Amino acid sequence: MTYPIVAYGDPVLRKRAVNIEQGTDVKHLAAAMLATMAQARGVGLAAPQIGKAISLFVVDLSPFMEAKLQSSKYRKVYINPTLQLDSAGILQYHEEGCLSIPDISVEVPRAKRLVVTYFDTNWQRQEEELTDMPARVIQHEYDHLNGKLHIDYASPLKRRLLKGKLADISQGKVAVAYKMRFPG
């Protein structure tokens, strides 16, 4: 099963996600989110992007890892995550896109290193230290859980320039190779 990806303009993308009660069975939801992300050729997908304002996201970090032979090791589910950003404050600026806002890239500052604490689908507490692109993906998905989008990092001028394109996306005037759900 896959879900349509919620498009820009839907209020769920601006909601703060609520924590999932510990012990809740989210294995089927997580599997469907991983399938949805793969179908859309994404590297991350947060629950708000499928219309659920809960604290869960999935990622596939295998494109950024050296041990490509163990790609299943890098397809992960993060439940009720918390982040600790590197206290040194080293920021990296790179262009980011988003499945909910297709064809719009924005340069976003992200911490180079972080520690993420979360639960897996068996409700086992996990902790990982990530750097560079994997850390960037986690920060992007974590932003979704807080109602923040990559376009929020754009300068006021760029936001004005994107206004028409964003309106088109929210009205379904966008061509993508995956299912989307538009506001309205």
Side-chain angles (χ1 to χ4, degrees):
M1 173 184 173
T2 60
Y3 289 93
I5 293 175
V6 172
Y8 173 80
D10 190 305
V12 73
L13 294 176
R14 293 300 190 175
K15 284 185 181 174
R16 184 177 201 88
V18 296
N19 277 346
I20 300 169
E21 185 177 328
Q22 193 161 348
T24 301
D25 184 1
V26 294
K27 288 180 181 175
H28 293 293
L29 174 62
M33 287 179 64
L34 284 164
T36 300
M37 176 187 65
Q39 181 184 57
R41 299 184 185 273
V43 295
L45 183 69
Q49 292 181 275
I50 61 162
K52 300 182 183 300
I54 57 175
S55 189
L56 182 151
F57 62 78
V58 299
V59 300
D60 180 358
L61 300 176
S62 60
F64 312 111
M65 308 310 264
E66 290 181 28
K68 303 230 189 248
L69 298 175
Q70 297 178 346
S71 64
S72 62
K73 177 180 164 182
Y74 300 110
R75 287 172 47 95
K76 293 189 178 180
V77 178
Y78 294 79
I79 302 168
N80 299 342
T82 58
L83 299 187
Q84 280 185 295
L85 302 179
D86 185 358
S87 60
I90 298 170
L91 296 179
Q92 296 179 320
Y93 292 79
H94 292 285
E95 292 275 317
E96 287 184 20
C98 180
L99 295 173
S100 291
I101 311 172
D103 301 327
I104 293 183
S105 293
V106 173
E107 191 171 89
V108 178
R110 299 282 187 199
K112 178 178 175 58
R113 188 183 76 77
L114 62 79
V115 174
V116 58
T117 305
Y118 64 98
F119 292 97
D120 63 21
T121 57
N122 294 316
W123 289 97
Q124 298 299 307
R125 187 177 184 275
Q126 306 290 328
E127 186 172 285
E128 298 174 337
E129 182 178 325
L130 298 167
T131 59
D132 300 318
M133 194 56 79
R136 172 173 291 284
V137 172
I138 296 297
Q139 289 171 81
H140 179 104
E141 300 311 323
Y142 188 78
D143 273 357
H144 276 296
L145 302 183
N146 290 300
K148 191 166 188 171
L149 303 172
H150 76 300
I151 57 172
D152 297 342
Y153 293 93
S155 69
L157 174 61
K158 181 148 185 168
R159 277 191 240 153
R160 280 196 304 276
L161 294 172
L162 292 174
K163 212 171 189 177
K165 206 169 184 180
L166 291 169
D168 285 348
I169 291 169
S170 69
Q171 295 167 18
K173 299 175 187 172
V174 63
V176 293
Y178 50 90
K179 294 183 290 182
M180 290 195 81
R181 185 184 94 194
F182 299 96

